[in-house]
Amino acid sequence: MKTANWIAHFERNKKNRPQPDWDAPFRVPEGKRAHLARSLAEYQLGDGGGECRLVARDAAVFRGSERDMDRLVDLWFEEEREHSRLLSHAVRRVGGKFVTDTPAMRLFYACRRALGVQFELLVLLIVEIVSTTYYRCIRRHVGDEPIAAMCRLIIRDEVGHVAFHQNRLAEAHPEGVGALWRLCFLVLGLVCAGFLWVGKNGACLRALGTTRTEFFQSVAAGLRRFLRALARESVPARCLQPVRSLPTHVLP
Ligand SMILES: [Fe+2]
Ligand SMILES: [Fe+2]
């Protein structure tokens, strides 16, 4: 894949990042604040706050699969670490308590380690699509400009991450991914969304005013858009085109 283009994208994306005004007055009602405190603390750990790297036992295979791929992967995870940094400001703003470990995170890392790097990349892609909906719902309903501004920055990065996966998958499957792959992708995506919705993150979204229909329709639309865009890009003549600009299929 055009690793040089993606490296240029990540370097460019470090610029023009207006930071949220974390000192602005905070006026979120107590009921919503308490939910935000629990949810954002969990996200702060999950989105770049834990072991922020590919942890699969064969991660080195992917990192060494192309010239400069290791640099590209490092830049991707650098943005994830930046999400954790932004979220740590949000956790302090809502008076949350930082989380350093959860059973769910331990299980998540154990599966990624054991099941290999291709599975890990697929799971991370799905988490990024589902999380984009989470951040969009927070941005739409939170009623707090600094947290909404943080969500805009993170969504902007995740758009790039999803497009990166689209590009690498299109080149790995020039004839397109199979029906079984697409089915697994959709099922895993909806299972991941279900886990989010039944836990404290879903409780937070509901407290802010997100409906179940809004959440699941947004996730399903994100998953379907990804498959359509992947099918369009999985045309041999196109997949060798350099990346000039990000696809718009996942723009906020
Ligand atoms: Fe992230
Ligand atoms: Fe990401």
Side-chain angles (χ1 to χ4, degrees):
M1 70 187 292
K2 296 287 180 186
T3 48
N5 295 49
W6 281 108
I7 287 171
H9 157 77
F10 280 111
E11 295 292 357
R12 232 179 6 251
N13 199 40
K14 290 180 186 176
K15 297 174 187 148
N16 301 319
R17 300 179 70 88
Q19 293 300 297
D21 178 10
W22 296 114
D23 295 327
F26 183 69
R27 299 197 181 91
V28 175
E30 174 55 25
K32 292 183 179 180
R33 183 210 64 78
H35 279 287
L36 279 166
R38 287 189 285 273
S39 177
L40 291 174
E42 192 167 274
Y43 248 86
Q44 192 274 331
L45 172 65
D47 196 352
E51 272 189 88
C52 191
R53 61 187 178 89
L54 292 175
V55 298
R57 53 187 162 68
D58 57 346
V61 173
F62 181 72
R63 290 180 60 89
S65 59
E66 286 186 42
R67 190 163 169 250
D68 292 335
M69 183 57 86
D70 54 346
R71 168 94 181 113
L72 178 49
V73 170
D74 288 345
L75 284 166
W76 166 25
F77 280 96
E78 215 175 280
E79 286 196 348
E80 300 299 0
R81 209 167 292 118
E82 171 62 6
H83 298 171
S84 181
R85 187 193 70 81
L86 285 165
L87 283 156
S88 65
H89 281 281
V91 171
R92 282 188 207 98
R93 183 168 176 79
V94 298
K97 255 177 82 176
F98 286 95
V99 180
T100 52
D101 190 22
T102 66
M105 282 302 289
R106 254 176 283 156
L107 181 66
F108 183 52
Y109 279 108
C111 289
R112 284 167 55 184
R113 267 194 197 91
L115 296 175
V117 73
Q118 290 305 324
F119 177 81
E120 180 175 34
L121 290 165
L122 173 63
V123 166
L124 290 175
L125 161 64
I126 286 168
V127 168
E128 286 174 325
I129 292 174
V130 173
S131 292
T132 299
T133 286
Y134 168 82
Y135 287 118
R136 279 184 184 146
C137 292
I138 299 270
R139 180 197 63 186
R140 196 174 300 139
H141 296 290
V142 70
D144 182 71
E145 179 47 32
I147 294 178
M150 174 198 75
C151 291
R152 280 194 287 277
L153 278 173
I154 296 178
I155 291 166
R156 159 179 148 178
D157 297 342
E158 297 299 356
V159 167
H161 301 178
V162 171
F164 159 66
H165 289 294
Q166 180 189 312
N167 192 219
R168 75 172 177 79
L169 283 165
E171 296 205 8
H173 302 273
E175 305 304 322
V177 293
L180 183 62
W181 192 98
R182 290 198 299 275
L183 180 67
C184 288
F185 174 81
L186 287 171
V187 169
L188 277 174
L190 292 173
V191 167
C192 176
F195 271 120
L196 188 149
W197 187 253
V198 299
K200 58 185 74 162
N201 298 313
C204 174
L205 295 184
R206 290 193 293 279
L208 293 181
T210 307
T211 65
R212 187 169 54 189
T213 305
E214 177 187 3
F215 177 73
F216 282 97
Q217 276 186 352
S218 173
V219 170
L223 294 168
R224 282 198 304 267
R225 268 199 305 271
F226 181 83
L227 288 179
R228 279 199 303 272
L230 180 58
R232 278 198 302 274
E233 196 178 344
S234 294
V235 175
R238 280 189 196 168
C239 66
L240 296 176
Q241 292 290 318
V243 179
R244 292 192 181 88
S245 61
L246 290 177
T248 55
H249 70 284
V250 282
L251 284 176

Short mmCIF file of all heavy atoms in Angstrom, two decimals, residues 61-120:
data_model
loop_
_atom_site.label_atom_id
_atom_site.label_comp_id
_atom_site.label_asym_id
_atom_site.label_seq_id
_atom_site.Cartn_x
_atom_site.Cartn_y
_atom_site.Cartn_z
N VAL A 61 4.91 -9.43 12.12
CA VAL A 61 4.71 -9.82 10.71
C VAL A 61 4.07 -8.65 9.96
O VAL A 61 4.48 -8.30 8.85
CB VAL A 61 3.82 -11.09 10.62
CG1 VAL A 61 3.47 -11.40 9.17
CG2 VAL A 61 4.50 -12.26 11.30
N PHE A 62 3.04 -8.06 10.58
CA PHE A 62 2.37 -6.93 9.91
C PHE A 62 3.27 -5.70 9.91
O PHE A 62 3.38 -5.00 8.91
CB PHE A 62 1.04 -6.61 10.60
CG PHE A 62 0.29 -5.49 9.93
CD1 PHE A 62 -0.31 -5.67 8.70
CD2 PHE A 62 0.23 -4.23 10.53
CE1 PHE A 62 -0.97 -4.62 8.06
CE2 PHE A 62 -0.44 -3.18 9.90
CZ PHE A 62 -1.04 -3.38 8.67
N ARG A 63 3.92 -5.45 11.03
CA ARG A 63 4.78 -4.25 11.11
C ARG A 63 5.90 -4.29 10.08
O ARG A 63 6.37 -3.26 9.62
CB ARG A 63 5.36 -4.11 12.52
CG ARG A 63 4.33 -3.73 13.58
CD ARG A 63 5.00 -3.61 14.96
NE ARG A 63 6.03 -2.60 14.95
CZ ARG A 63 5.81 -1.31 15.23
NH1 ARG A 63 4.60 -0.91 15.56
NH2 ARG A 63 6.79 -0.43 15.19
N GLY A 64 6.34 -5.53 9.73
CA GLY A 64 7.43 -5.65 8.77
C GLY A 64 6.95 -6.04 7.38
O GLY A 64 7.74 -6.41 6.52
N SER A 65 5.64 -5.94 7.14
CA SER A 65 5.08 -6.45 5.87
C SER A 65 5.45 -5.57 4.69
O SER A 65 5.41 -6.01 3.55
CB SER A 65 3.56 -6.58 5.98
OG SER A 65 2.99 -5.31 6.28
N GLU A 66 5.76 -4.32 4.94
CA GLU A 66 6.14 -3.40 3.85
C GLU A 66 7.14 -2.42 4.40
O GLU A 66 7.22 -2.21 5.62
CB GLU A 66 4.92 -2.60 3.36
CG GLU A 66 3.95 -3.40 2.54
CD GLU A 66 2.85 -2.52 1.96
OE1 GLU A 66 3.16 -1.41 1.48
OE2 GLU A 66 1.70 -2.96 2.01
N ARG A 67 7.85 -1.79 3.48
CA ARG A 67 8.80 -0.75 3.89
C ARG A 67 8.03 0.36 4.62
O ARG A 67 6.98 0.79 4.15
CB ARG A 67 9.46 -0.19 2.62
CG ARG A 67 10.62 0.71 2.89
CD ARG A 67 11.46 0.90 1.64
NE ARG A 67 12.41 1.98 1.89
CZ ARG A 67 12.34 3.17 1.31
NH1 ARG A 67 11.40 3.42 0.43
NH2 ARG A 67 13.22 4.09 1.60
N ASP A 68 8.53 0.77 5.76
CA ASP A 68 7.96 1.87 6.55
C ASP A 68 6.61 1.56 7.20
O ASP A 68 5.97 2.45 7.76
CB ASP A 68 7.79 3.15 5.70
CG ASP A 68 9.13 3.74 5.32
OD1 ASP A 68 10.11 3.48 6.05
OD2 ASP A 68 9.22 4.41 4.29
N MET A 69 6.17 0.29 7.12
CA MET A 69 4.90 -0.04 7.78
C MET A 69 5.01 0.14 9.29
O MET A 69 4.05 0.55 9.95
CB MET A 69 4.48 -1.47 7.44
CG MET A 69 3.14 -1.87 8.02
SD MET A 69 1.80 -0.77 7.50
CE MET A 69 1.32 -1.53 5.96
N ASP A 70 6.20 -0.18 9.85
CA ASP A 70 6.36 -0.01 11.30
C ASP A 70 6.20 1.45 11.71
O ASP A 70 5.57 1.76 12.70
CB ASP A 70 7.70 -0.59 11.79
CG ASP A 70 8.90 -0.04 11.05
OD1 ASP A 70 8.71 0.60 9.98
OD2 ASP A 70 10.03 -0.23 11.52
N ARG A 71 6.73 2.35 10.88
CA ARG A 71 6.59 3.79 11.15
C ARG A 71 5.11 4.20 11.06
O ARG A 71 4.60 4.96 11.89
CB ARG A 71 7.42 4.57 10.13
CG ARG A 71 7.17 6.06 10.09
CD ARG A 71 8.13 6.82 10.97
NE ARG A 71 7.86 8.24 10.95
CZ ARG A 71 7.41 8.94 11.99
NH1 ARG A 71 7.18 8.35 13.13
NH2 ARG A 71 7.21 10.23 11.89
N LEU A 72 4.44 3.67 10.05
CA LEU A 72 3.02 3.99 9.85
C LEU A 72 2.18 3.52 11.04
O LEU A 72 1.33 4.25 11.55
CB LEU A 72 2.55 3.33 8.55
CG LEU A 72 1.10 3.46 8.13
CD1 LEU A 72 0.62 4.89 8.20
CD2 LEU A 72 0.93 2.91 6.71
N VAL A 73 2.45 2.31 11.51
CA VAL A 73 1.71 1.77 12.65
C VAL A 73 1.99 2.63 13.90
O VAL A 73 1.08 2.94 14.67
CB VAL A 73 2.08 0.28 12.90
CG1 VAL A 73 1.50 -0.22 14.21
CG2 VAL A 73 1.58 -0.58 11.73
N ASP A 74 3.24 3.04 14.07
CA ASP A 74 3.58 3.89 15.22
C ASP A 74 2.81 5.21 15.17
O ASP A 74 2.34 5.71 16.20
CB ASP A 74 5.08 4.16 15.27
CG ASP A 74 5.87 2.94 15.70
OD1 ASP A 74 5.25 1.99 16.22
OD2 ASP A 74 7.10 2.91 15.50
N LEU A 75 2.67 5.78 13.96
CA LEU A 75 1.96 7.06 13.83
C LEU A 75 0.47 6.87 14.14
O LEU A 75 -0.16 7.73 14.76
CB LEU A 75 2.14 7.61 12.41
CG LEU A 75 3.51 8.24 12.14
CD1 LEU A 75 3.72 8.43 10.64
CD2 LEU A 75 3.66 9.57 12.87
N TRP A 76 -0.08 5.76 13.70
CA TRP A 76 -1.48 5.45 14.01
C TRP A 76 -1.68 5.41 15.53
O TRP A 76 -2.56 6.07 16.07
CB TRP A 76 -1.84 4.13 13.33
CG TRP A 76 -3.11 3.46 13.77
CD1 TRP A 76 -4.21 4.05 14.34
CD2 TRP A 76 -3.39 2.06 13.69
NE1 TRP A 76 -5.17 3.08 14.61
CE2 TRP A 76 -4.70 1.86 14.23
CE3 TRP A 76 -2.68 0.95 13.22
CZ2 TRP A 76 -5.30 0.61 14.31
CZ3 TRP A 76 -3.29 -0.30 13.29
CH2 TRP A 76 -4.57 -0.45 13.83
N PHE A 77 -0.80 4.66 16.22
CA PHE A 77 -0.97 4.54 17.67
C PHE A 77 -0.59 5.83 18.42
O PHE A 77 -1.07 6.05 19.53
CB PHE A 77 -0.21 3.31 18.19
CG PHE A 77 -0.97 2.04 17.94
CD1 PHE A 77 -0.73 1.25 16.83
CD2 PHE A 77 -2.00 1.66 18.81
CE1 PHE A 77 -1.47 0.11 16.58
CE2 PHE A 77 -2.75 0.52 18.57
CZ PHE A 77 -2.49 -0.26 17.45
N GLU A 78 0.22 6.64 17.79
CA GLU A 78 0.50 7.96 18.39
C GLU A 78 -0.80 8.76 18.48
O GLU A 78 -1.05 9.46 19.47
CB GLU A 78 1.49 8.70 17.48
CG GLU A 78 2.49 9.57 18.19
CD GLU A 78 3.47 10.16 17.20
OE1 GLU A 78 4.42 9.44 16.81
OE2 GLU A 78 3.29 11.33 16.81
N GLU A 79 -1.64 8.65 17.44
CA GLU A 79 -2.93 9.35 17.48
C GLU A 79 -3.84 8.73 18.54
O GLU A 79 -4.60 9.44 19.21
CB GLU A 79 -3.61 9.31 16.11
CG GLU A 79 -2.94 10.24 15.12
CD GLU A 79 -3.78 10.53 13.90
OE1 GLU A 79 -4.82 9.86 13.68
OE2 GLU A 79 -3.38 11.41 13.14
N GLU A 80 -3.76 7.42 18.71
CA GLU A 80 -4.58 6.79 19.76
C GLU A 80 -4.16 7.31 21.14
O GLU A 80 -5.00 7.58 22.01
CB GLU A 80 -4.46 5.26 19.71
CG GLU A 80 -4.90 4.61 18.41
CD GLU A 80 -6.37 4.84 18.08
OE1 GLU A 80 -7.07 5.50 18.84
OE2 GLU A 80 -6.80 4.38 17.01
N ARG A 81 -2.84 7.45 21.32
CA ARG A 81 -2.34 7.97 22.60
C ARG A 81 -2.83 9.41 22.82
O ARG A 81 -3.14 9.81 23.92
CB ARG A 81 -0.80 7.92 22.61
CG ARG A 81 -0.21 7.74 23.99
CD ARG A 81 1.27 7.38 23.95
NE ARG A 81 1.51 6.05 23.40
CZ ARG A 81 2.20 5.81 22.30
NH1 ARG A 81 2.72 6.79 21.59
NH2 ARG A 81 2.37 4.57 21.88
N GLU A 82 -2.91 10.14 21.72
CA GLU A 82 -3.43 11.52 21.80
C GLU A 82 -4.90 11.51 22.23
O GLU A 82 -5.34 12.40 22.97
CB GLU A 82 -3.24 12.21 20.44
CG GLU A 82 -3.91 13.56 20.27
CD GLU A 82 -3.40 14.63 21.24
OE1 GLU A 82 -2.43 14.38 21.97
OE2 GLU A 82 -4.01 15.72 21.26
N HIS A 83 -5.66 10.50 21.80
CA HIS A 83 -7.06 10.42 22.22
C HIS A 83 -7.13 10.23 23.74
O HIS A 83 -7.96 10.82 24.42
CB HIS A 83 -7.78 9.26 21.51
CG HIS A 83 -7.81 9.45 20.03
ND1 HIS A 83 -8.24 8.48 19.16
CD2 HIS A 83 -7.47 10.52 19.26
CE1 HIS A 83 -8.15 8.94 17.93
NE2 HIS A 83 -7.68 10.17 17.97
N SER A 84 -6.25 9.40 24.24
CA SER A 84 -6.22 9.16 25.68
C SER A 84 -5.87 10.45 26.43
O SER A 84 -6.44 10.76 27.48
CB SER A 84 -5.20 8.06 25.98
OG SER A 84 -5.17 7.80 27.34
N ARG A 85 -4.95 11.22 25.86
CA ARG A 85 -4.56 12.49 26.50
C ARG A 85 -5.75 13.45 26.53
O ARG A 85 -6.06 14.06 27.56
CB ARG A 85 -3.40 13.13 25.74
CG ARG A 85 -2.82 14.37 26.42
CD ARG A 85 -1.89 15.14 25.49
NE ARG A 85 -2.60 15.80 24.41
CZ ARG A 85 -3.23 16.97 24.52
NH1 ARG A 85 -3.23 17.62 25.67
NH2 ARG A 85 -3.86 17.51 23.48
N LEU A 86 -6.45 13.56 25.39
CA LEU A 86 -7.62 14.44 25.33
C LEU A 86 -8.69 13.97 26.33
O LEU A 86 -9.28 14.78 27.06
CB LEU A 86 -8.22 14.44 23.91
CG LEU A 86 -7.44 15.23 22.85
CD1 LEU A 86 -7.90 14.85 21.45
CD2 LEU A 86 -7.59 16.74 23.07
N LEU A 87 -8.91 12.66 26.35
CA LEU A 87 -9.93 12.12 27.24
C LEU A 87 -9.57 12.33 28.71
O LEU A 87 -10.44 12.48 29.56
CB LEU A 87 -10.14 10.63 26.94
CG LEU A 87 -10.97 10.36 25.68
CD1 LEU A 87 -10.67 8.97 25.11
CD2 LEU A 87 -12.46 10.48 25.96
N SER A 88 -8.27 12.37 29.01
CA SER A 88 -7.89 12.58 30.41
C SER A 88 -8.30 13.99 30.85
O SER A 88 -8.71 14.20 32.00
CB SER A 88 -6.41 12.31 30.65
OG SER A 88 -5.64 13.23 29.95
N HIS A 89 -8.25 14.97 29.93
CA HIS A 89 -8.76 16.32 30.25
C HIS A 89 -10.27 16.24 30.51
O HIS A 89 -10.78 16.87 31.45
CB HIS A 89 -8.50 17.27 29.09
CG HIS A 89 -7.09 17.77 29.03
ND1 HIS A 89 -6.63 18.79 29.85
CD2 HIS A 89 -6.04 17.40 28.25
CE1 HIS A 89 -5.35 19.02 29.57
NE2 HIS A 89 -4.97 18.18 28.61
N ALA A 90 -10.97 15.48 29.66
CA ALA A 90 -12.43 15.38 29.80
C ALA A 90 -12.79 14.70 31.12
O ALA A 90 -13.75 15.09 31.79
CB ALA A 90 -13.02 14.62 28.61
N VAL A 91 -12.02 13.66 31.50
CA VAL A 91 -12.29 12.95 32.76
C VAL A 91 -12.15 13.92 33.94
O VAL A 91 -12.99 13.96 34.83
CB VAL A 91 -11.35 11.73 32.92
CG1 VAL A 91 -11.46 11.13 34.33
CG2 VAL A 91 -11.65 10.67 31.88
N ARG A 92 -11.10 14.73 33.91
CA ARG A 92 -10.92 15.72 35.00
C ARG A 92 -12.05 16.74 34.98
O ARG A 92 -12.56 17.13 36.02
CB ARG A 92 -9.57 16.44 34.83
CG ARG A 92 -8.41 15.60 35.29
CD ARG A 92 -7.10 16.39 35.31
NE ARG A 92 -6.00 15.46 35.12
CZ ARG A 92 -5.39 15.23 33.97
NH1 ARG A 92 -5.73 15.91 32.89
NH2 ARG A 92 -4.42 14.33 33.87
N ARG A 93 -12.47 17.14 33.79
CA ARG A 93 -13.53 18.16 33.67
C ARG A 93 -14.83 17.68 34.29
O ARG A 93 -15.56 18.46 34.90
CB ARG A 93 -13.74 18.50 32.18
CG ARG A 93 -14.77 19.59 31.94
CD ARG A 93 -14.72 20.08 30.51
NE ARG A 93 -15.75 21.07 30.23
CZ ARG A 93 -15.69 22.35 30.58
NH1 ARG A 93 -14.63 22.80 31.20
NH2 ARG A 93 -16.68 23.18 30.31
N VAL A 94 -15.14 16.40 34.12
CA VAL A 94 -16.41 15.89 34.65
C VAL A 94 -16.23 15.29 36.05
O VAL A 94 -17.16 14.68 36.58
CB VAL A 94 -17.04 14.84 33.69
CG1 VAL A 94 -17.36 15.46 32.34
CG2 VAL A 94 -16.16 13.61 33.53
N GLY A 95 -15.04 15.43 36.62
CA GLY A 95 -14.81 14.93 37.97
C GLY A 95 -14.78 13.42 38.05
O GLY A 95 -15.19 12.83 39.07
N GLY A 96 -14.27 12.77 37.00
CA GLY A 96 -14.21 11.30 36.98
C GLY A 96 -12.97 10.76 37.68
O GLY A 96 -12.04 11.51 37.97
N LYS A 97 -13.00 9.46 37.96
CA LYS A 97 -11.85 8.78 38.57
C LYS A 97 -11.19 7.93 37.51
O LYS A 97 -11.85 7.11 36.86
CB LYS A 97 -12.34 7.87 39.71
CG LYS A 97 -12.05 8.44 41.09
CD LYS A 97 -12.60 7.57 42.18
CE LYS A 97 -11.67 6.41 42.49
NZ LYS A 97 -12.17 5.60 43.62
N PHE A 98 -9.89 8.08 37.34
CA PHE A 98 -9.20 7.35 36.28
C PHE A 98 -9.23 5.84 36.55
O PHE A 98 -9.15 5.40 37.70
CB PHE A 98 -7.76 7.83 36.14
CG PHE A 98 -7.67 9.17 35.47
CD1 PHE A 98 -7.59 10.33 36.22
CD2 PHE A 98 -7.71 9.27 34.09
CE1 PHE A 98 -7.54 11.57 35.61
CE2 PHE A 98 -7.67 10.50 33.46
CZ PHE A 98 -7.58 11.65 34.22
N VAL A 99 -9.36 5.09 35.45
CA VAL A 99 -9.39 3.62 35.53
C VAL A 99 -8.08 3.13 34.91
O VAL A 99 -7.67 3.61 33.87
CB VAL A 99 -10.58 3.07 34.70
CG1 VAL A 99 -10.63 1.57 34.75
CG2 VAL A 99 -11.89 3.68 35.16
N THR A 100 -7.43 2.17 35.56
CA THR A 100 -6.17 1.67 35.00
C THR A 100 -6.28 0.23 34.50
O THR A 100 -5.41 -0.25 33.79
CB THR A 100 -5.04 1.74 36.04
OG1 THR A 100 -5.49 1.08 37.24
CG2 THR A 100 -4.69 3.18 36.38
N ASP A 101 -7.36 -0.43 34.85
CA ASP A 101 -7.50 -1.84 34.45
C ASP A 101 -8.96 -2.27 34.65
O ASP A 101 -9.59 -1.84 35.62
CB ASP A 101 -6.58 -2.69 35.36
CG ASP A 101 -6.46 -4.12 34.85
OD1 ASP A 101 -6.70 -4.35 33.66
OD2 ASP A 101 -6.14 -5.00 35.68
N THR A 102 -9.48 -3.05 33.72
CA THR A 102 -10.81 -3.64 33.91
C THR A 102 -10.76 -5.08 33.40
O THR A 102 -9.94 -5.40 32.53
CB THR A 102 -11.91 -2.88 33.13
OG1 THR A 102 -11.65 -3.06 31.72
CG2 THR A 102 -11.95 -1.40 33.45
N PRO A 103 -11.63 -5.96 33.88
CA PRO A 103 -11.65 -7.34 33.36
C PRO A 103 -11.91 -7.35 31.86
O PRO A 103 -11.32 -8.15 31.12
CB PRO A 103 -12.82 -7.98 34.13
CG PRO A 103 -12.97 -7.15 35.37
CD PRO A 103 -12.57 -5.76 35.00
N ALA A 104 -12.78 -6.45 31.37
CA ALA A 104 -13.09 -6.42 29.94
C ALA A 104 -11.85 -6.07 29.12
O ALA A 104 -11.60 -6.66 28.06
CB ALA A 104 -14.20 -5.41 29.67
N MET A 105 -11.05 -5.13 29.63
CA MET A 105 -9.84 -4.75 28.90
C MET A 105 -8.83 -5.89 28.89
O MET A 105 -8.16 -6.14 27.89
CB MET A 105 -9.20 -3.50 29.53
CG MET A 105 -9.89 -2.20 29.18
SD MET A 105 -9.95 -1.89 27.39
CE MET A 105 -8.25 -1.51 27.05
N ARG A 106 -8.75 -6.60 30.03
CA ARG A 106 -7.81 -7.73 30.08
C ARG A 106 -8.19 -8.80 29.07
O ARG A 106 -7.37 -9.35 28.36
CB ARG A 106 -7.77 -8.32 31.50
CG ARG A 106 -6.47 -7.92 32.22
CD ARG A 106 -6.47 -8.41 33.64
NE ARG A 106 -7.31 -7.54 34.46
CZ ARG A 106 -7.88 -7.91 35.59
NH1 ARG A 106 -7.72 -9.13 36.05
NH2 ARG A 106 -8.60 -7.06 36.29
N LEU A 107 -9.51 -9.07 28.98
CA LEU A 107 -10.00 -10.06 28.02
C LEU A 107 -9.75 -9.59 26.59
O LEU A 107 -9.33 -10.37 25.73
CB LEU A 107 -11.51 -10.28 28.26
CG LEU A 107 -12.17 -11.30 27.36
CD1 LEU A 107 -11.62 -12.71 27.62
CD2 LEU A 107 -13.70 -11.31 27.57
N PHE A 108 -9.97 -8.30 26.35
CA PHE A 108 -9.77 -7.72 25.02
C PHE A 108 -8.31 -7.92 24.57
O PHE A 108 -8.04 -8.37 23.46
CB PHE A 108 -10.13 -6.22 25.10
CG PHE A 108 -10.05 -5.48 23.80
CD1 PHE A 108 -10.70 -5.94 22.66
CD2 PHE A 108 -9.33 -4.28 23.70
CE1 PHE A 108 -10.63 -5.24 21.45
CE2 PHE A 108 -9.27 -3.58 22.51
CZ PHE A 108 -9.90 -4.05 21.39
N TYR A 109 -7.37 -7.61 25.47
CA TYR A 109 -5.95 -7.78 25.12
C TYR A 109 -5.57 -9.24 24.98
O TYR A 109 -4.78 -9.60 24.09
CB TYR A 109 -5.06 -7.09 26.17
CG TYR A 109 -4.95 -5.60 25.96
CD1 TYR A 109 -5.57 -4.71 26.82
CD2 TYR A 109 -4.23 -5.09 24.88
CE1 TYR A 109 -5.48 -3.34 26.62
CE2 TYR A 109 -4.13 -3.73 24.67
CZ TYR A 109 -4.76 -2.86 25.54
OH TYR A 109 -4.68 -1.51 25.33
N ALA A 110 -6.14 -10.10 25.81
CA ALA A 110 -5.81 -11.54 25.72
C ALA A 110 -6.26 -12.10 24.38
O ALA A 110 -5.53 -12.87 23.73
CB ALA A 110 -6.48 -12.29 26.88
N CYS A 111 -7.46 -11.72 23.93
CA CYS A 111 -7.96 -12.18 22.62
C CYS A 111 -7.07 -11.66 21.50
O CYS A 111 -6.71 -12.39 20.58
CB CYS A 111 -9.39 -11.71 22.39
SG CYS A 111 -10.58 -12.54 23.44
N ARG A 112 -6.72 -10.39 21.57
CA ARG A 112 -5.88 -9.80 20.52
C ARG A 112 -4.52 -10.50 20.46
O ARG A 112 -3.98 -10.76 19.39
CB ARG A 112 -5.70 -8.30 20.78
CG ARG A 112 -6.93 -7.49 20.41
CD ARG A 112 -6.87 -6.08 20.95
NE ARG A 112 -5.68 -5.35 20.55
CZ ARG A 112 -5.37 -4.13 20.98
NH1 ARG A 112 -6.18 -3.51 21.82
NH2 ARG A 112 -4.27 -3.53 20.57
N ARG A 113 -3.96 -10.79 21.64
CA ARG A 113 -2.66 -11.47 21.68
C ARG A 113 -2.76 -12.85 21.04
O ARG A 113 -1.94 -13.24 20.22
CB ARG A 113 -2.21 -11.64 23.13
CG ARG A 113 -1.36 -10.54 23.60
CD ARG A 113 -0.63 -10.83 24.91
NE ARG A 113 -0.20 -9.55 25.40
CZ ARG A 113 -0.92 -8.79 26.23
NH1 ARG A 113 -2.07 -9.22 26.69
NH2 ARG A 113 -0.48 -7.60 26.60
N ALA A 114 -3.80 -13.59 21.43
CA ALA A 114 -3.89 -15.00 21.07
C ALA A 114 -4.32 -15.23 19.62
O ALA A 114 -3.87 -16.19 18.98
CB ALA A 114 -4.86 -15.71 22.02
N LEU A 115 -5.19 -14.36 19.11
CA LEU A 115 -5.83 -14.69 17.83
C LEU A 115 -5.11 -14.12 16.60
O LEU A 115 -5.57 -14.30 15.47
CB LEU A 115 -7.30 -14.24 17.85
CG LEU A 115 -8.13 -15.01 18.90
CD1 LEU A 115 -9.55 -14.46 18.98
CD2 LEU A 115 -8.17 -16.49 18.58
N GLY A 116 -4.02 -13.46 16.81
CA GLY A 116 -3.19 -13.06 15.67
C GLY A 116 -3.50 -11.66 15.15
O GLY A 116 -4.55 -11.08 15.42
N VAL A 117 -2.55 -11.16 14.37
CA VAL A 117 -2.60 -9.73 14.02
C VAL A 117 -3.73 -9.41 13.04
O VAL A 117 -4.31 -8.32 13.10
CB VAL A 117 -1.22 -9.26 13.49
CG1 VAL A 117 -0.94 -9.79 12.08
CG2 VAL A 117 -1.12 -7.74 13.55
N GLN A 118 -4.08 -10.35 12.14
CA GLN A 118 -5.17 -10.03 11.21
C GLN A 118 -6.49 -9.89 11.96
O GLN A 118 -7.28 -8.99 11.67
CB GLN A 118 -5.29 -11.12 10.12
CG GLN A 118 -4.15 -11.11 9.13
CD GLN A 118 -3.94 -9.74 8.45
OE1 GLN A 118 -4.88 -9.00 8.16
NE2 GLN A 118 -2.69 -9.38 8.21
N PHE A 119 -6.71 -10.75 12.95
CA PHE A 119 -7.90 -10.63 13.78
C PHE A 119 -7.85 -9.33 14.58
O PHE A 119 -8.84 -8.60 14.69
CB PHE A 119 -8.03 -11.84 14.71
CG PHE A 119 -9.21 -11.74 15.64
CD1 PHE A 119 -10.49 -12.07 15.21
CD2 PHE A 119 -9.05 -11.28 16.95
CE1 PHE A 119 -11.58 -11.96 16.06
CE2 PHE A 119 -10.14 -11.17 17.81
CZ PHE A 119 -11.40 -11.51 17.36
N GLU A 120 -6.66 -9.03 15.12
CA GLU A 120 -6.52 -7.81 15.92
C GLU A 120 -6.84 -6.56 15.08
O GLU A 120 -7.56 -5.66 15.52
CB GLU A 120 -5.09 -7.71 16.47
CG GLU A 120 -4.89 -6.46 17.30
CD GLU A 120 -3.52 -6.38 17.98
OE1 GLU A 120 -2.54 -6.85 17.38
OE2 GLU A 120 -3.46 -5.82 19.08
#
